Amino acid sequence: QSALTQPASVSGSPGQSITISCTGTSSDVGSYNLVSWYQQHPGKAPKLMIYEGSKRPSGVSNRFSGSKSGNTASLTISGLQAEDEADYYCCSYAGSVVFGGGTKLTVL
Amino acid sequence: QLQLQESGPGLVKPSETLSLTCTVSGGSISSSSYYWGWIRQPPGKGLEWIGSIYYSGSTYYNPSLKSRVTISVDTSKNQFSLKLSSVTAADTAVYYCARNPATMVRGVSPRFDPWGQGTLVTVSS
């Protein structure tokens, strides 16, 4: 299976909203509502932020939300904060498990 | 609070077998609700799922690594392990273990939570 496609980088100013896309195919993102999103700060383990497309684990800020349209899943972060600066990875079921290439979020 | 901790050699020679263990604390690895997975991340690169195991020993592997990977479980020690054979420099990575909910009839959920802190394994002579 191929990796999911994410933009290499996105940026935004504090207080703004940004959206990170995750494009797959009809065999993965498009067929299952199972996309997860992970946040990873430098030198740290990834942290689950969204699962099953739009569900937030306990303790994750409601500034993080997930959605899907066709073969593309999206992660939206509203009210950007400096602490949101990190790498973000999407992940989907595709017969097995496949990750996106990751997106570096810079808070200007 | 469930915690996972990876352990094993930090340096492996090319062509040899990489062996890591993940110890689970604060919960039972024999829970019927979860698989237990391995994920790796080469330095400066993205994440790659390696495989996952159920307490019964049922496994799912990444097709691209399947010929070289063995994941096993020891319920008496609350541990699961990874063996990756015939390693090359391309297998140099931080290796993470994580919990995987058993929510699918077939296959493994892409939901991993929590994760261990990760351990760097370098393949070099």
Side-chain angles (χ1 to χ4, degrees):
Chain A
Q1 72 268 6
S2 300
L4 306 174
T5 300
Q6 299 181 232
S9 63
V10 298
S11 62
S13 299
Q16 287 186 331
S17 294
I18 63 95
T19 296
I20 299 172
S21 62
C22 171
T23 301
T25 70
S26 57
S27 297
D28 41 60
V29 175
S31 290
Y32 309 94
N33 200 24
L34 291 173
V35 173
S36 297
W37 289 91
Y38 299 89
Q39 176 192 65
Q40 186 179 35
H41 288 109
K44 300 295 187 182
K47 175 186 176 184
L48 179 69
M49 305 302 284
I50 296 288
Y51 67 98
E52 293 175 8
S54 60
K55 297 178 181 179
R56 275 189 310 275
S58 174
V60 172
S61 170
N62 60 9
R63 297 186 299 106
F64 292 83
S65 62
S67 62
K68 189 184 87 166
S69 177
N71 296 337
T72 298
S74 298
L75 173 71
T76 298
I77 309 173
S78 59
L80 264 183
Q81 299 179 1
E83 68 208 48
D84 300 331
E85 185 162 294
D87 293 327
Y88 291 84
Y89 294 91
C90 62
C91 183
S92 179
Y93 177 73
S96 63
V97 174
V98 61
F99 282 91
T103 298
K104 181 175 181 57
L105 169 62
T106 301
V107 180
L108 302 170
Chain B
Q1 178 185 353
L2 190 81
Q3 292 186 316
L4 297 90
Q5 177 69 57
E6 306 88 351
S7 60
L11 181 64
V12 181
K13 290 182 168 56
S15 80
E16 295 189 345
T17 296
L18 177 160
S19 296
L20 295 173
T21 295
C22 181
T23 301
V24 178
S25 59
S28 174
I29 203 169
S30 298
S31 168
S32 60
S33 299
Y34 300 103
Y35 276 79
W36 304 89
W38 288 99
I39 303 102
R40 70 179 182 178
Q41 184 173 36
K45 296 187 178 180
L47 299 166
E48 180 180 36
W49 173 70
I50 300 170
S52 296
I53 190 165
Y54 198 54
Y55 76 95
S56 64
S58 174
T59 53
Y60 288 96
Y61 295 135
N62 185 326
S64 67
L65 297 169
K66 187 174 183 177
S67 63
R68 297 195 293 130
V69 173
T70 301
I71 298 176
S72 58
V73 63
D74 187 336
T75 55
S76 66
K77 295 182 179 179
N78 230 32
Q79 296 176 333
F80 62 106
S81 298
L82 168 69
K83 290 188 185 299
L84 181 65
S85 64
S86 304
V87 297
T88 69
D91 295 308
T92 293
V94 175
Y95 286 76
Y96 296 99
C97 58
R99 187 179 66 175
N100 223 170
T103 53
M104 298 173 59
V105 175
R106 290 190 65 178
V108 172
S109 165
R111 174 183 172 187
F112 299 94
D113 180 49
W115 295 57
Q117 66 183 30
T119 187
L120 175 63
V121 179
T122 301
V123 179
S124 175
S125 55

